[in-house]
Amino acid sequence: MTTFSTCAAFLSLVVVLHAVHVGGAILESQAPHRELKAYRPLQDNNLQEVYASSAAAVHYDPDLKDVNIVATYSDHYGNIRLGRVKMGDLSPSWVLENPAYQVSRKTKGSQLVIPRDSFQNDTGMEDNASHSTTNQTDESENQFPNVDFASPAKLKRQILRQERRGQRTLELIRQEKETDEQMQEAAIQKSMSFENSVIGKYSIWRRDYESPNADAILKLMRDQIIMAKAYANIAKSKNVTNLYVFLMQQCGENKRVIGKATSDADLPSSALDQAKAMGHALSLAKDELYDCHELAKKFRAILQSTERKVDGLKKKGTFLIQLAAKTFPKPLHCLSLQLAADYFILGFNEEDAVKEDVSQKKLEDPSLYHYAIFSDNVLATSVVVNSTVLNAKEPQRHVFHIVTDKLNFGAMKMWFRINAPADATIQVENINDFKWLNSSYCSVLRQLESARLKEYYFKANHPSSISAGADNLKYRNPKYLSMLNHLRFYLPEVYPKLEKILFLDDDIVVQKDLAPLWEIDMQGKVNGAVETCKESFHRFDKYLNFSNPKISENFDAGACGWAFGMNMFDLKEWRKRNITGIYHYWQDLNEDRTLWKLGSLPPGLITFYNLTYAMERSWHVLGLGYDPALNQTAIENAAVVHYNGNYKPWLGLAFAKYKPYWSKYVEYDNPYLRRCDINE
């Protein structure tokens, strides 16, 4: 009995133990407060539910399972709080730091105290714990939320997960910032490249940027004029003079208000009032003269008349575009006159005759890079030469053979005399000096002497030819019978000592070194060119008349077309296959223009049929003279860009966005250009 009471008294004493949770932590069960590191209270009933499965694994002495453990902590307000848990409810990860129980007889109650620094490394907790009293235990048991004990591995995973989330958040923020910067930069670049140099009502681009209803009032007023004219004609036929005069007056007012307006923004402020007045006049006319059958007849007559006018304007427009494209601009004409005058006045013609043979050796050296340019345009030819030399890696190995007509020979000689590239070699020749090029040998010259052919080609200048059809106008330009345009078919005769030569048109710009073209293996073909066919476009049937059996029996209508402008010719293979003879044969057959109509490309397609080597498209990009929607990247990466079409870069018709590729090789500070008012 004494022993039992002694043991009971012993157990009733306060047992103070120092326990440590190895690698563990007490975390708040609610996610939003995970960052708070203050300890949370430990309640008996909740801990029994959470750790019921692990109670059997407690490695402490079974006799101590009912011993209370009191944990001290401070809440988020800084108050000292106590939490209590049974020894038997602890998981195996808890160990006693000091197995030797120290019994303090001065302490009231039986408690196992766990210092705060056993949970985390906060300092000063032992001092704060000393201020707590035992009566706080019962008071705090039921006022703290539930918490879970986390194992060391779980805690580490939670920490790593939080770190990964933080890193991912930073990465997403960085990527979003980079995306915003890229979009901003792209917007800036797009705004810089936006084409706005052509403005006003004559801009062919303007309507692309107008709102759909930008001309609603203008259209209404024009429609009112048509209706008023129809009712006025009916009124006149029925002798309703007053109404006829009134309607015609309103038509005149509408026309006056509209003027040259192309959108509502161009109309005066009184336009809407006039539209209302015209609407009232039409309402009166409808009440007095409305006759459905009669109105239908008038509208059909107006429609037919308008269609005839539109057709005539289209033909006139086509004629004027052709005229503007083929007419020599006044500033360029001035340049040729100024250069030619100085050439003869300063006596350079006699000096050049003496020095004619100085560079003859270089002109005939087949190991150099030789170019053929046939043109009567001094400025255009200078751009071709300048762009080629400036982009060449070895300009001293490049030789340019320029052939022009008698009228421009002095001007061409003078220009390259005072503006010759430093390293390249320039030869300028007069086509009239080629005595072998006569009508007995050349089919084109023989045809040009025909009165019937002269009438066909030259009557395009007569106003009556406008009614002949828009499609035929461009075929009747005498320029297509110019020998400078057909001299390309006589290259072996013009340059008998050369083996390879690169032919260049005068409306091209060189953007890269062209020397690698001489290294291309053309596999026995005569002509190296870039093909232009895309699906069904630019194939032989577009250029040749396949209804003629001479064409249909010898050529494939679906054969792919190619382009003149930049062509590598193998002159050795040319002579071997007698290409010039083939050209003469077909040119003679086409004297009546039944095989083809236009220029030098159709006879070129026939002459070099199955003898053309297809080069990479990046060597030669075409269309800058007619297509406003070319791929900008393709233009930038091209070795040669070609302004084929009517919109040449030296004309006012040129596309503004394509012109800089050409104008950057023009020496606008040249005194001759300034004198003739040639500027950007």
Side-chain angles (χ1 to χ4, degrees):
M1 191 65 184
T2 304
T3 305
F4 177 80
S5 61
T6 303
C7 291
F10 175 76
L11 291 174
S12 65
L13 297 176
V14 177
V15 180
V16 180
L17 299 176
H18 190 197
V20 178
H21 182 272
V22 180
I26 299 177
L27 300 176
E28 186 179 0
S29 60
Q30 297 180 3
H33 300 285
R34 288 179 182 174
E35 70 277 11
L36 299 176
K37 297 185 178 179
Y39 293 109
R40 298 293 185 264
L42 312 173
Q43 295 184 4
D44 294 345
N45 54 352
N46 293 325
L47 289 172
Q48 288 173 2
E49 293 175 5
V50 174
Y51 293 104
S53 61
S54 61
V58 178
H59 61 283
Y60 300 121
D61 191 331
D63 295 333
L64 302 177
K65 65 181 181 180
D66 293 329
V67 175
N68 291 332
I69 298 177
V70 178
T72 63
Y73 65 96
S74 61
D75 61 14
H76 56 282
Y77 296 105
N79 300 322
I80 302 300
R81 300 296 183 186
L82 298 176
R84 185 170 61 189
V85 67
K86 295 290 186 180
M87 175 71 83
D89 294 331
L90 295 178
S91 67
S93 62
W94 288 78
V95 297
L96 295 177
E97 183 177 317
N98 186 6
Y101 300 106
Q102 298 178 1
V103 179
S104 174
R105 298 180 184 275
K106 298 179 182 179
T107 308
K108 297 179 181 181
S110 177
Q111 295 179 330
L112 181 65
V113 180
I114 303 176
R116 182 181 179 182
D117 60 354
S118 300
F119 290 89
Q120 59 187 45
N121 296 328
D122 293 349
T123 60
M125 190 59 207
E126 293 179 357
D127 296 339
N128 295 333
S130 63
H131 298 289
S132 64
T133 59
T134 57
N135 59 2
Q136 289 177 310
T137 305
D138 298 334
E139 183 181 328
S140 62
E141 285 182 357
N142 298 320
Q143 55 179 295
F144 302 106
N146 298 333
V147 295
D148 293 339
F149 289 103
S151 66
K154 184 176 180 181
L155 177 61
K156 188 172 183 179
R157 288 196 299 272
Q158 290 174 344
I159 295 173
L160 292 175
R161 190 179 299 115
Q162 285 294 108
E163 292 178 353
R164 288 196 299 270
R165 287 176 180 172
Q167 292 174 358
R168 179 59 178 166
T169 301
L170 293 175
E171 178 66 19
L172 290 175
I173 293 174
R174 185 187 63 80
Q175 291 179 358
E176 185 177 2
K177 185 176 180 181
E178 290 180 355
T179 303
D180 291 343
E181 291 176 352
Q182 291 174 359
M183 292 176 64
Q184 184 178 2
E185 182 66 23
I188 293 173
Q189 293 296 330
K190 186 175 182 180
S191 65
M192 292 175 63
S193 61
F194 184 76
E195 176 57 49
N196 60 354
S197 58
V198 182
I199 59 176
K201 57 180 174 291
Y202 299 108
S203 171
I204 62 175
W205 307 106
R206 180 177 178 180
R207 297 193 64 82
D208 294 341
Y209 308 111
E210 290 181 351
S211 62
N213 299 319
D215 56 353
I217 299 176
L218 182 63
K219 286 182 177 179
L220 173 64
M221 297 184 72
R222 287 173 174 168
D223 291 342
Q224 287 177 335
I225 293 174
I226 296 173
M227 290 290 295
K229 286 183 177 180
Y231 278 121
N233 288 331
I234 296 174
K236 187 177 182 180
S237 64
K238 294 185 177 182
N239 294 322
V240 186
T241 308
N242 292 337
L243 184 57
Y244 170 77
V245 173
F246 179 60
L247 289 172
M248 295 307 294
Q249 287 177 348
Q250 291 297 323
C251 284
E253 284 298 313
N254 264 30
K255 291 180 180 179
R256 183 187 62 78
V257 171
I258 291 174
K260 295 183 179 180
T262 58
S263 68
D264 290 353
D266 300 329
L267 293 173
S269 57
S270 61
L272 191 58
D273 293 335
Q274 174 57 33
K276 292 179 180 178
M278 174 64 96
H280 178 67
L282 291 174
S283 178
L284 294 175
K286 179 180 178 182
D287 292 341
E288 187 171 347
L289 301 173
Y290 183 74
D291 184 338
C292 184
H293 179 69
E294 191 69 22
L295 274 177
K297 288 172 59 178
K298 294 297 181 184
F299 283 142
R300 279 197 295 269
I302 292 174
L303 179 62
Q304 293 173 358
S305 175
T306 304
E307 286 179 345
R308 286 194 297 270
K309 289 180 180 179
V310 169
D311 188 52
L313 290 173
K314 284 183 177 179
K315 292 178 180 179
K316 288 181 180 179
T318 302
F319 176 79
L320 292 175
I321 289 176
Q322 294 292 331
L323 183 64
K326 306 307 177 184
T327 301
F328 211 57
K330 183 178 179 180
L332 296 186
H333 185 62
C334 166
L335 178 63
S336 295
L337 291 177
Q338 293 285 343
L339 290 169
D342 288 351
Y343 180 73
F344 290 104
I345 290 174
L346 297 176
F348 289 140
N349 56 327
E350 299 177 0
E351 187 176 336
D352 287 343
V354 176
K355 297 181 178 179
E356 207 170 47
D357 299 329
V358 173
S359 58
Q360 191 66 28
K361 186 176 181 180
K362 211 171 185 181
L363 297 174
E364 297 178 350
D365 187 352
S367 64
L368 300 179
Y369 306 130
H370 294 268
Y371 301 84
I373 305 172
F374 306 145
S375 173
D376 57 0
N377 189 327
V378 176
L379 188 62
T381 304
S382 71
V383 170
V384 177
V385 174
N386 290 344
S387 62
T388 305
V389 173
L390 290 175
N391 289 286
K393 295 180 180 178
E394 298 178 292
Q396 69 278 5
R397 299 193 61 198
H398 294 257
V399 182
F400 296 88
H401 304 269
I402 301 170
V403 179
T404 187
D405 55 17
K406 184 177 181 179
L407 184 63
N408 294 281
F409 177 71
M412 196 77 75
K413 290 284 285 187
M414 184 64 183
W415 177 267
F416 285 105
R417 182 181 182 88
I418 61 177
N419 298 290
D423 300 317
T425 302
I426 308 292
Q427 179 192 31
V428 179
E429 295 181 280
N430 183 355
I431 192 172
N432 295 90
D433 293 336
F434 300 153
K435 302 304 180 184
W436 50 267
L437 196 62
N438 49 56
S439 58
S440 61
Y441 177 65
C442 177
S443 301
V444 173
L445 286 176
R446 185 167 58 253
Q447 292 171 8
L448 190 57
E449 293 177 355
S450 167
R452 184 178 61 178
L453 202 61
K454 285 181 180 179
E455 180 187 4
Y456 175 80
Y457 275 93
F458 286 95
K459 77 176 183 180
N461 294 325
H462 196 277
S464 63
S465 66
I466 294 176
S467 61
D471 292 337
N472 291 328
L473 289 176
K474 60 183 179 180
Y475 300 147
R476 298 184 174 188
N477 195 312
K479 185 177 179 68
Y480 292 121
L481 284 183
S482 166
M483 278 312 302
L484 287 176
N485 199 37
H486 287 262
L487 190 61
R488 64 193 70 185
F489 295 105
Y490 299 94
L491 286 172
E493 286 87 345
V494 180
Y495 309 109
K497 300 290 183 66
L498 300 182
E499 298 178 354
K500 268 190 174 183
I501 194 166
L502 184 66
F503 171 78
L504 298 177
D505 269 342
D506 62 0
D507 55 353
I508 64 100
V509 175
V510 178
Q511 300 186 130
K512 293 183 180 180
D513 183 26
L514 299 183
L517 286 172
W518 275 262
E519 300 174 3
I520 294 178
D521 180 11
M522 293 172 55
Q523 302 174 3
K525 303 296 177 65
V526 179
N527 173 31
V530 170
E531 293 182 335
T532 57
C533 56
K534 297 177 182 179
E535 297 178 356
S536 61
F537 300 103
H538 295 283
R539 297 188 181 273
F540 271 42
D541 57 353
K542 177 182 178 180
Y543 305 99
L544 305 176
N545 178 20
F546 275 85
S547 63
N548 190 307
K550 295 178 182 177
I551 296 295
S552 59
E553 293 173 3
N554 290 280
F555 305 100
D556 178 11
C560 189
W562 46 268
F564 274 125
M566 189 207 73
N567 305 80
M568 176 61 70
F569 290 112
D570 186 339
L571 300 184
K572 290 177 63 178
E573 198 69 27
W574 184 311
R575 299 182 186 99
K576 179 180 177 181
R577 296 177 180 270
N578 189 25
I579 298 300
T580 304
I582 297 174
Y583 164 72
H584 283 161
Y585 171 78
W586 286 101
Q587 191 70 44
D588 290 338
L589 290 178
N590 193 49
E591 186 170 359
D592 56 357
R593 303 174 309 282
T594 58
L595 304 184
W596 69 85
K597 293 182 179 180
L598 176 65
S600 58
L601 181 56
L605 296 175
I606 290 176
T607 302
F608 298 104
Y609 183 64
N610 289 333
L611 296 174
T612 299
Y613 174 80
M615 296 194 297
E616 292 289 336
R617 290 185 182 272
S618 61
W619 280 112
H620 186 191
V621 170
L622 300 101
L624 278 74
Y626 69 87
D627 188 354
L630 291 176
N631 184 284
Q632 200 72 18
T633 303
I635 296 175
E636 297 287 346
N637 296 332
V640 171
V641 292
H642 194 173
Y643 293 83
N644 58 312
N646 289 328
Y647 302 96
K648 303 298 184 185
W650 55 83
L651 299 175
L653 301 171
F655 295 120
K657 63 179 179 179
Y658 297 151
K659 193 169 182 178
Y661 298 109
W662 184 84
S663 60
K664 68 180 180 180
Y665 294 105
V666 179
E667 301 172 357
Y668 287 105
D669 58 344
N670 186 283
Y672 284 99
L673 299 188
R674 292 203 304 267
R675 194 183 308 170
C676 293
D677 197 25
I678 298 175
N679 48 54
E680 293 184 88

